[in-house]
Coordinates of all heavy atoms in Angstrom, one line a residue:
Chain Z
Q92 N -6.0 21.3 -6.7 CA -5.5 20.7 -5.5 C -6.1 21.6 -4.4 O -5.9 22.8 -4.4 CB -4.0 20.6 -5.4 CG -3.5 19.9 -4.1 CD -2.0 19.8 -4.0 OE1 -1.3 20.7 -4.6 NE2 -1.5 18.8 -3.4
F93 N -6.7 21.0 -3.4 CA -7.4 21.7 -2.4 C -6.5 22.0 -1.2 O -5.4 21.4 -1.1 CB -8.6 20.9 -2.0 CG -9.6 20.8 -3.1 CD1 -9.6 19.8 -4.0 CD2 -10.7 21.7 -3.2 CE1 -10.5 19.7 -5.1 CE2 -11.6 21.6 -4.2 CZ -11.5 20.6 -5.2
P94 N -6.9 22.9 -0.2 CA -6.1 23.2 0.9 C -5.7 22.0 1.7 O -4.6 22.0 2.4 CB -7.0 24.1 1.7 CG -7.8 24.8 0.7 CD -8.1 23.8 -0.3
D95 N -6.5 20.9 1.8 CA -6.1 19.7 2.5 C -5.2 18.8 1.7 O -4.9 17.7 2.1 CB -7.4 18.9 3.0 CG -8.2 18.3 1.8 OD1 -7.9 18.6 0.7 OD2 -9.1 17.6 2.1
L96 N -4.8 19.3 0.5 CA -3.9 18.7 -0.4 C -4.5 17.5 -1.3 O -3.8 17.0 -2.2 CB -2.6 18.1 0.3 CG -1.8 19.2 1.0 CD1 -0.6 18.6 1.7 CD2 -1.4 20.3 0.1
H97 N -5.8 17.2 -1.1 CA -6.3 16.2 -2.0 C -6.5 16.9 -3.4 O -6.6 18.1 -3.5 CB -7.6 15.6 -1.5 CG -8.9 16.3 -1.8 ND1 -9.4 17.3 -1.1 CD2 -9.7 16.1 -2.9 CE1 -10.5 17.7 -1.6 NE2 -10.7 17.0 -2.7
S98 N -6.6 16.1 -4.4 CA -6.7 16.6 -5.7 C -7.8 16.0 -6.5 O -8.2 14.8 -6.2 CB -5.4 16.4 -6.5 OG -5.4 16.9 -7.8
E99 N -8.4 16.7 -7.4 CA -9.4 16.2 -8.3 C -9.0 16.5 -9.7 O -8.5 17.5 -10.1 CB -10.8 16.8 -8.0 CG -11.3 16.4 -6.6 CD -12.6 17.0 -6.3 OE1 -13.1 17.9 -7.1 OE2 -13.2 16.7 -5.2
L100 N -9.3 15.5 -10.6 CA -9.1 15.6 -12.0 C -10.5 15.6 -12.7 O -11.2 14.6 -12.5 CB -8.3 14.4 -12.5 CG -8.0 14.4 -14.0 CD1 -7.1 15.6 -14.4 CD2 -7.3 13.1 -14.4
N101 N -10.8 16.6 -13.4 CA -12.1 16.7 -14.0 C -11.9 16.5 -15.5 O -11.1 17.1 -16.2 CB -12.7 18.1 -13.8 CG -12.9 18.4 -12.3 OD1 -13.6 17.8 -11.6 ND2 -12.1 19.4 -11.8
L102 N -12.7 15.6 -16.0 CA -12.7 15.2 -17.5 C -14.1 15.5 -18.0 O -15.1 15.0 -17.5 CB -12.4 13.7 -17.6 CG -11.2 13.2 -16.8 CD1 -11.1 11.7 -17.0 CD2 -9.9 13.9 -17.1
S103 N -14.1 16.3 -19.0 CA -15.4 16.7 -19.6 C -15.5 16.4 -21.1 O -14.5 16.1 -21.7 CB -15.7 18.2 -19.4 OG -14.7 19.0 -20.0
S104 N -16.7 16.5 -21.6 CA -17.0 16.2 -23.0 C -16.3 14.9 -23.4 O -15.6 14.8 -24.4 CB -16.6 17.3 -23.9 OG -17.2 18.5 -23.5

Side-chain angles (χ1 to χ4, degrees):
Chain Z
Q92 187 179 28
F93 295 86
D95 66 353
L96 300 178
H97 91 270
S98 178
E99 293 180 354
L100 179 66
N101 301 296
L102 315 176
S103 61
S104 303

